[in-house]
Amino acid sequence: MKKRVFLSASALAVMALSSAAVLAQDNTFKIGLVLPMTGQQASTGRQIEAAAKLFMAQNGDTVAGKKVQLIIKDDTSIPDVTKRMAQELVVNEKVNVLAGFGITPSALATAPIATQSKTPMVVMAAATSSITQASPYIVRTSFTLPQASVSMADWAPKNGIKKVVTLVSDYGPGIDAEKFFKDRFIFNGGTIVESLRVPMRNPDFAPFLQKVRDAKPDGLFVFVPSGAGAAVMKQFLERGMDKAGIKLIGTGDITDDDQLNDMGDGAIGVVTAHHYAAAHPSAMNKKFVEAFKKANKGMRPNFMAVGGYDGMHVIYEALKASKGQGGGDGLLAAMKGQVFESPRGPMFIDAQTRDVVQNIYLRKVQRVGGELHNVEFDVIKDVKDPGKAK
Ligand code: DHB
C-alpha cells in the first residue's frame, strides 16, 4: 500500500516536471547562431558573438513574454558543417531563427534548410549579392559587395586614380567586388589594367602583388574577407608599392577595424568605401563602441560586430511585433520593412529584397587619439544593393 502511494506520488512529480518542461519550451525563443569560431574566419565569429551578447545584455532576455536563448555553434567556416549544424538546430533544438553565417558558401549551403523548415535566416556577415535570392526566408543585416564597390568606383577616377588593377579573393564576394567595381569604373572613364584573383583559403599574396608592381597602375583595388586585410597591407608596404605611387583602395574589409590599429603608419591615407567604421561619429555609435570594448577587454567592434548587433535588433523587433505568435512566417513578415537607427547610421530592411539599404561612407585611414581609424569624409545615402537592379 505504502509502495503504491510512493509510486503515484513520484509519477505525479514526473508529470509535473514534464509539463513544466513543455511550458518552459513554449516560453523559450531560440536563436541558433552558426558562426566560424575557429579557423581562418574566427575573428568574424568572435566579433558577432560578442555583439549578440552585448545586445542581449543591453536589451534583456525576455521579449514578448518569451525567454530568448542563444545557441552558438562553431561551423569552422566549412559549408557542409554549417548546413549540418543548422539542420540539427532546426530538427533537434527547434530553433525559431537561424542566424550568423560568416562566409558566403556557408550561407548558400544553409539556404535550403531555411526554405524547407520555414525558419527565418538572418545573415549577419556574408555579403555576396545573390545570397538573399537563395531563400525567401533570408534577411540580411551585413552589406553587399556591390554596395561598397560601386561607391569606390565612383570616387576613384575623380581623385586621380584612372588605371587600376583589381585583386580579389576568388569566391562569391570577391567576384561581386571585381565585377561591380570594374563595370562602374570603366563607365566612369577608368581603365582596368588587369584583374587578379587569389585563392580564398590560405592565400599567398606575394606573387600577385609582384605582378601589380610590375604593371604600375595608379591604384590597386582589393577585396579580401575580414581577417585577411592585415596580410595584404603588410606585403603591399614591404614591396614599397605605396612609395612606387600605387594607391591602395578597396572595400572596407581591407582596413578591418578588428586589425587596423596594428597595421602601422603605412596604412595611413588608405581610402575605402564601407557601411561601418568604429569611428562613425554618432552618439549611438559612440555608446556602442564604448560598451562593446568594456565587455570585451578593449576589443574594437568591426563591421561584422555591427551586422550581428543589428541582426539581433531585427529579431527582437520581429518577436515583439508578432507578439511571440505566428511561427517562422509571422516572424519573417515582421522582419521585412524594418527601419531603425544602427550604430552604422540609418538602416532599412527592404521588404521586397529582404536586403539591407544603408549609407555607404568613404573613409580615409588616419591617426585619431593615438589610434588608427577609418575616418569618414563623404557619404552616399540609402544605397540599395546594385546587384539587385535588373
Ligand atoms: C564575406 C566574408 C567576409 O569576411 C567579408 O569581409 C565579406 C564577405 C563573405 O564570404 O560573404
Side-chain angles (χ1 to χ4, degrees):
M1 182 64 192
K2 246 185 185 166
K3 199 174 176 192
R4 258 212 337 255
V5 169
F6 172 75
L7 271 178
S8 48
S10 62
L12 268 175
V14 167
M15 277 169 63
L17 260 179
S18 57
S19 61
V22 167
L23 266 181
Q25 184 154 44
D26 282 344
N27 264 326
T28 308
F29 184 87
K30 294 184 180 177
I31 303 170
L33 196 56
V34 192
L35 290 168
M37 300 306 302
T38 54
Q40 194 176 298
Q41 304 310 124
S43 66
T44 296
R46 175 163 41 84
Q47 287 272 351
I48 293 179
E49 177 185 19
K53 287 186 171 164
L54 175 65
F55 186 90
M56 290 184 71
Q58 291 176 333
N59 295 278
D61 63 358
T62 305
V63 182
K66 303 248 176 187
K67 186 105 176 138
V68 179
Q69 188 190 347
L70 206 55
I71 306 172
I72 299 171
K73 297 280 181 197
D74 177 11
D75 68 5
T76 69
S77 83
I78 308 293
D80 286 347
V81 179
T82 318
K83 182 179 183 179
R84 177 169 52 78
M85 287 180 162
Q87 183 142 29
E88 284 170 8
L89 284 166
V90 167
V91 173
N92 301 337
E93 297 284 354
K94 315 235 174 325
V95 294
N96 301 86
V97 176
L98 288 165
F101 309 103
I103 58 168
T104 290
S106 288
L108 292 178
T110 309
I113 307 283
T115 307
Q116 286 153 22
S117 65
K118 299 184 187 297
T119 308
M121 173 172 159
V122 179
V123 174
M124 297 170 158
T128 301
S129 174
S130 64
I131 288 174
T132 42
Q133 286 153 330
S135 166
Y137 285 86
I138 291 179
V139 169
R140 172 157 41 200
T141 59
S142 52
F143 75 111
T144 78
L145 267 304
Q147 285 179 323
S149 306
V150 163
S151 303
M152 186 33 89
D154 282 338
W155 180 85
K158 285 188 251 159
N159 289 275
I161 302 172
K162 310 263 187 205
K163 282 198 287 178
V164 164
V165 174
T166 61
L167 174 67
V168 302
S169 198
D170 191 6
Y171 77 118
I175 310 300
D176 266 5
E178 179 190 286
K179 179 182 180 344
F180 282 84
F181 178 82
K182 202 169 170 171
D183 288 357
R184 185 67 154 244
F185 189 66
I186 291 170
F187 175 80
N188 286 333
T191 307
I192 298 291
V193 181
E194 205 169 350
S195 288
L196 305 170
R197 296 178 182 180
V198 298
M200 190 252 171
R201 307 263 176 205
N202 307 310
D204 174 11
F205 300 110
F208 295 95
L209 289 174
Q210 194 53 50
K211 272 189 145 179
V212 179
R213 228 207 123 142
D214 298 342
K216 294 196 186 69
D218 303 326
L220 171 63
F221 170 86
V222 176
F223 165 79
V224 288
S226 185
V232 173
M233 185 72 76
K234 184 164 178 281
Q235 297 194 19
F236 182 84
L237 297 172
E238 274 173 7
R239 286 193 155 57
M241 294 174 69
D242 53 335
K243 306 245 160 43
I246 302 170
K247 289 245 169 13
L248 181 61
I249 54 173
T251 60
D253 311 70
I254 45 165
T255 54
D256 188 341
D257 271 307
D258 190 69
Q259 302 183 314
L260 179 60
N261 199 33
D262 298 320
M263 288 187 193
D265 283 355
I268 290 175
V270 171
V271 174
T272 55
H274 228 206
H275 59 293
Y276 180 68
H280 178 65
S282 71
M284 180 186 227
N285 186 51
K286 281 184 182 142
K287 264 176 69 184
F288 168 68
V289 172
E290 213 168 279
F292 188 95
K293 283 182 159 178
K294 196 163 166 222
N296 296 287
K297 302 195 179 88
M299 175 165 77
R300 185 193 289 182
N302 71 356
F303 61 97
M304 293 302 185
V306 92
Y309 194 76
D310 293 335
M312 290 297 287
H313 178 106
V314 166
I315 296 167
Y316 266 49
E317 289 306 310
L319 181 52
K320 276 186 215 165
S322 61
K323 299 188 172 57
Q325 309 295 314
D329 285 307
L331 275 172
L332 181 74
M335 289 179 181
K336 294 179 186 176
Q338 283 191 26
V339 184
F340 59 98
E341 189 193 352
S342 148
R344 72 185 84 183
M347 142 148 187
F348 168 47
I349 303 294
D350 186 322
Q352 260 73 52
T353 61
R354 292 161 279 99
D355 221 335
V356 54
V357 179
Q358 59 192 335
N359 294 346
I360 295 294
Y361 306 90
L362 287 154
R363 315 95 48 86
K364 184 181 271 187
V365 176
Q366 287 171 14
R367 210 167 258 293
V368 182
E371 293 188 9
L372 292 176
H373 270 286
N374 292 298
V375 178
E376 295 167 3
F377 63 87
D378 203 357
V379 57
I380 301 106
K381 292 208 164 138
D382 301 330
V383 180
K384 274 192 171 200
D385 174 28
K388 301 289 186 303
K390 288 274 147 52

